[in-house]
Amino acid sequence: MHEAWPGLAAARRGRPVTELCTDVAGTAVDTLGDAGESAKDAAEDAWTGPPAETEAPRLPSLPPRKVLMSETTVSLTEHEILALLAFNDTEPAAYTRDVLRLSGAEQRETLVRAGLATLLVREQAVLQGENLVLQGAVQQIAGIMATAGGWLEVAVSTPQTSYMLFAVQSAGGSFIMSAGTHGVHSFNPMPQDKPILLFALDVAKHYLESTDPVSKVSVRAKHHGFGTEARVATLLRNTDGTVRLALGDEPGAPLTEPATGHELEEFARALALDGR
């Protein structure tokens, strides 16, 4: 049984289209762009030794089902995500925009208008009088972004693939966004009882255990929360099979070697916010 998108009251009310557009400051958007290359760059900061000779292929459509926990997928363009963020002008929505690399300066109003138009054309939203009302899963995605309290970025790099994932969690629901190329990204709901940090551990466990044991693997995670400094940690498996842990965002961070069998436990501890 697939995890269903939960309903959130924050996303149910409509907004006048003119209000949605005039609420947005005219600024440019720093888009995700090529997410595969972003993940590869982030991972290589912590690698020891030369990069793999084979260029990583473009982003796969989704990670394996055992990582995502769901096949209920919604694809949205960056224009549409910006439009959903404009529905609720909250601090969590602004933080979500930053985490998803969608903050910026000029022409955001134009991009929001484009997103509203394609949501209408794709029947993800309907007009009720002068109000635009979201429908189905995008209604819940907008509500989660407007009420979120936890965010997680995960960058994966192996000789075969590299990509980025984002998890956003609120009291009423959570989702995973798989960053795609050409400005189109995939959303899946997360089980509501699943702590957001466990998603990073699922991804790390999957790639450390399922890839060729002589291949390099990097899983870098950044855990955000309100009122506390974000925590960053990277698990690295080298070609000799050793697993090392790097802490922080700075290139060349010192590496420690976790006790065998306790790699994921130390990864989780490094990412915990305020001891949680």
Side-chain angles (χ1 to χ4, degrees):
M1 181 176 178
H2 301 161
E3 185 72 15
W5 285 100
L8 283 177
R12 288 177 186 153
R13 58 188 176 84
R15 291 283 304 277
V17 176
T18 53
E19 180 183 313
L20 279 167
C21 294
T22 54
D23 277 353
V24 179
T27 47
V29 174
D30 178 17
T31 64
L32 282 165
D34 189 335
E37 288 304 312
S38 298
K40 188 168 181 284
D41 292 344
E44 284 177 350
D45 285 344
W47 274 128
T48 55
E53 294 181 0
T54 304
E55 182 183 356
R58 294 302 181 185
L59 187 76
S61 58
L62 285 173
R65 180 181 176 184
K66 64 182 284 188
V67 174
L68 273 187
M69 308 292 291
S70 174
E71 294 174 351
T72 310
T73 304
V74 175
S75 293
L76 295 171
T77 67
E78 290 177 357
H79 308 76
E80 290 168 337
I81 299 168
L82 283 167
L84 296 182
L85 286 163
F87 259 80
N88 298 279
D89 187 18
T90 63
E91 187 178 0
Y95 203 115
T96 302
R97 188 184 295 114
D98 289 342
V99 171
L100 298 184
R101 316 290 200 273
L102 294 174
S103 292
E106 74 191 275
Q107 296 185 348
R108 201 192 305 163
E109 180 179 344
T110 301
L111 294 172
V112 168
R113 286 183 180 276
L116 294 173
T118 57
L119 288 170
L120 285 166
V121 168
R122 297 206 294 136
E123 299 182 347
Q124 303 273 21
V126 296
L127 284 173
Q128 294 182 359
E130 294 184 355
N131 290 340
L132 188 144
V133 180
L134 300 175
Q135 302 289 298
V138 298
Q139 181 187 79
Q140 284 76 56
I141 292 169
I144 291 169
M145 292 192 295
T147 58
W151 299 263
L152 190 69
E153 308 172 35
V154 182
V156 177
S157 181
T158 76
Q160 292 76 35
T161 189
S162 57
Y163 60 88
M164 288 190 72
L165 300 165
F166 298 86
V168 179
Q169 187 167 52
S170 75
S174 309
F175 66 72
I176 300 161
M177 188 188 93
S178 178
T181 53
H182 310 300
V184 180
H185 311 303
S186 300
F187 290 74
N188 280 271
M190 272 179 62
Q192 286 186 253
D193 59 350
K194 186 182 182 72
I196 195 171
L197 192 52
L198 288 185
F199 175 64
L201 303 186
D202 284 349
V203 174
K205 184 175 189 294
H206 173 78
Y207 281 98
L208 290 175
E209 293 181 355
S210 66
T211 52
D212 183 345
V214 298
S215 294
K216 286 184 175 182
V217 176
S218 169
V219 179
R220 176 186 181 276
K222 186 170 186 176
H223 189 193
H224 304 260
F226 274 130
T228 185
E229 186 177 354
R231 302 293 296 271
V232 181
T234 307
L235 267 184
L236 306 162
R237 190 186 66 199
N238 231 318
T239 52
D240 62 2
T242 57
V243 176
R244 292 182 172 84
L245 179 67
L247 305 181
D249 248 340
E250 297 299 321
L255 299 173
T256 61
E257 190 167 339
T260 302
H262 294 274
E263 296 90 351
L264 294 177
E265 179 183 336
E266 295 194 30
F267 188 47
R269 187 179 298 117
L271 289 168
L273 301 177
D274 296 332
R276 295 195 298 271

